[in-house]
Amino acid sequence: MIFFVVVPLIVLTGLTMSSTIDTPFPWLLTIFGGRQAARTIHCIACFTFVGFIVVHVVEVILTGFFNNIRSMVTGWFVIKHEGKKLPASFPRRSGPQRTPVSTPPGLHSLRPC
């Protein structure tokens, strides 16, 4: 929704606020109801876009910046095992079991995203 609604809205309202765009595209003023309405819509859309970016950057930082960047770049993330055992009633995976791969010292285990 952000890239298909908000970003085009920011561009179109930004063009509507420009007086040099009135001659080739007079219908923009009609669509947005004049320059002042375009300014208001542009401001709301820009704050929405900035808020979207801020929320997502904060989420990446709070959930582990380096692990998230690693998974974006390489496709692998680290899973830290706390040493907790699953209860006996926890459903186990059926079928053939894969043998665990040894992990390098310092890393717990790498899993594909």
Side-chain angles (χ1 to χ4, degrees), residues 5 24 27 88:
V5 175
W27 50 270

Side-chain angles (χ1 to χ4, degrees), residues 12-52:
L12 290 175
T13 54
L15 290 173
T16 304
M17 291 186 297
S18 173
S19 59
T20 57
I21 298 299
D22 290 349
T23 305
F25 304 106
W27 50 270
L28 281 174
L29 278 172
T30 307
I31 288 176
F32 293 110
R35 277 198 187 85
Q36 187 57 44
R39 284 186 189 106
T40 304
I41 296 168
H42 186 79
C43 184
I44 291 169
C46 285
F47 277 122
T48 303
F49 188 67
V50 169
F52 172 82

